[in-house]
Amino acid sequence: MEDVAVDPQPDPDRRQRIVEVASQALAAMNAGADEGAADRVTAAISANPTSRDDAQELMLLLFGECSAMVTALGQGAEAPVKMQVYDDDGQEVSIDEADPPVRTAVRTLLAEVHGDSEAARTHIQIALANAAPEEMVTLVIQALRWTIRLAHECTTRDLPVADWITDALS
């Protein structure tokens, strides 16, 4: 008989825990504490034995919410929502010329917007497997920034925003 690893019982509080971490990070970043937001995410995720999975789910949560807001902004608008990537000098660059974490963020969001959650998950998994820790922080910071900007734009236009995001930003 062969030993087979058994998955631990699913954590019924996992989603709520991830939403709480995302909420705290959004609130910190919205208050101007980018470093504090990154620290909150890093501490909360690394304190958990399933930290890699939690990091992945946190990013997918943020990109999923961003996707929903991009879709809301695009419906009924005269022009579709346009994604642009800028370098450190403020010059627009193609996605392929962007820094790896930004490239991953754009590709993940585009996959989510186009309804391909599996491709989004794959982009995050590749980043988690290959990116340096500071690149992962940059990816999370990018997702948080987009979430804040999109939430503000949706709120201004009276479009739906997830309650947990609205609460975190109030």
Side-chain angles (χ1 to χ4, degrees):
M1 184 169 192
E2 190 175 319
D3 284 339
V4 177
V6 176
D7 287 337
Q9 291 294 323
D11 180 355
D13 300 323
R14 182 174 187 218
R15 169 127 172 111
Q16 184 57 37
R17 186 177 68 249
I18 290 170
V19 167
E20 285 175 19
V21 170
S23 295
Q24 292 169 359
L26 281 171
M29 181 162 281
N30 195 46
D34 288 13
E35 195 171 303
D39 290 345
R40 286 177 191 271
V41 170
T42 303
I45 288 174
S46 63
N48 191 311
T50 58
S51 62
R52 185 178 215 111
D53 292 339
D54 282 0
Q56 176 178 300
E57 292 308 312
L58 173 76
M59 286 184 269
L60 290 171
L61 170 69
L62 291 169
F63 285 115
E65 294 295 346
C66 285
S67 171
M69 291 184 283
V70 166
T71 300
L73 287 165
Q75 291 177 345
E78 293 176 16
V81 175
K82 182 178 178 185
M83 296 211 43
Q84 296 170 294
V85 179
Y86 297 93
D87 64 14
D88 293 335
D89 298 324
Q91 300 296 314
E92 187 174 359
V93 297
S94 75
I95 293 170
D96 293 329
E97 294 173 13
D99 291 336
V102 174
R103 220 174 22 237
T104 299
V106 170
R107 289 182 176 150
T108 302
L109 181 56
L110 287 172
E112 284 287 352
V113 166
H114 291 287
D116 193 349
S117 295
E118 197 53 42
R121 183 175 296 280
T122 299
H123 286 298
I124 298 298
Q125 287 171 337
I126 291 169
L128 282 168
N130 298 311
E134 62 274 3
E135 290 177 324
M136 291 310 303
V137 169
T138 300
L139 181 58
V140 171
I141 294 294
Q142 187 65 56
L144 291 166
R145 283 184 181 143
W146 285 349
T147 303
I148 291 169
R149 287 184 188 147
L150 288 165
H152 286 305
E153 190 62 31
C154 284
T155 301
T156 299
R157 296 184 190 190
D158 201 28
L159 295 170
V161 177
D163 290 341
W164 68 267
I165 295 173
T166 304
D167 293 345
L169 299 178
S170 59

